[in-house]
Coordinates of all heavy atoms in Angstrom, one line a residue:
L91 N -125.0 101.2 164.3 CA -126.4 101.3 163.8 C -126.9 102.6 164.4 O -127.1 102.7 165.6 CB -127.2 100.1 164.2 CG -126.8 98.8 163.6 CD1 -127.6 97.7 164.3 CD2 -126.9 98.8 162.2
T119 N -129.7 102.9 160.2 CA -131.0 102.5 160.7 C -130.8 101.1 161.4 O -129.8 100.5 161.1 CB -132.1 102.3 159.6 OG1 -133.3 101.8 160.1 CG2 -131.6 101.4 158.5
T120 N -131.7 100.7 162.2 CA -131.6 99.4 162.9 C -132.3 98.3 162.1 O -132.4 97.2 162.5 CB -132.2 99.4 164.3 OG1 -133.6 99.8 164.2 CG2 -131.4 100.4 165.2
D121 N -132.7 98.6 160.8 CA -133.4 97.6 160.0 C -132.6 96.4 159.7 O -133.1 95.3 159.6 CB -133.9 98.2 158.7 CG -135.0 99.2 158.9 OD1 -135.6 99.3 160.0 OD2 -135.2 100.0 158.0
R122 N -131.3 96.6 159.6 CA -130.4 95.5 159.3 C -129.8 94.8 160.5 O -128.9 94.0 160.4 CB -129.2 95.9 158.4 CG -129.7 96.3 157.0 CD -128.6 96.6 156.0 NE -127.5 95.6 156.2 CZ -126.3 95.8 155.7 NH1 -126.0 96.9 155.1 NH2 -125.4 94.9 155.8
L123 N -130.3 95.1 161.7 CA -129.7 94.5 162.9 C -129.8 93.0 162.8 O -128.8 92.3 163.2 CB -130.5 95.0 164.1 CG -130.0 94.5 165.5 CD1 -128.5 94.8 165.6 CD2 -130.8 95.1 166.6
A124 N -130.9 92.4 162.4 CA -131.1 91.0 162.3 C -130.1 90.3 161.4 O -129.5 89.3 161.6 CB -132.5 90.6 161.9
E125 N -129.8 91.0 160.2 CA -128.8 90.5 159.3 C -127.4 90.5 159.8 O -126.7 89.5 159.6 CB -128.8 91.3 158.0 CG -130.1 91.4 157.2 CD -129.9 92.4 156.1 OE1 -128.8 92.6 155.6 OE2 -130.9 92.9 155.6

Side-chain angles (χ1 to χ4, degrees):
L91 300 171
T119 179
T120 58
D121 293 343
R122 289 189 44 198
L123 181 59
E125 295 175 27

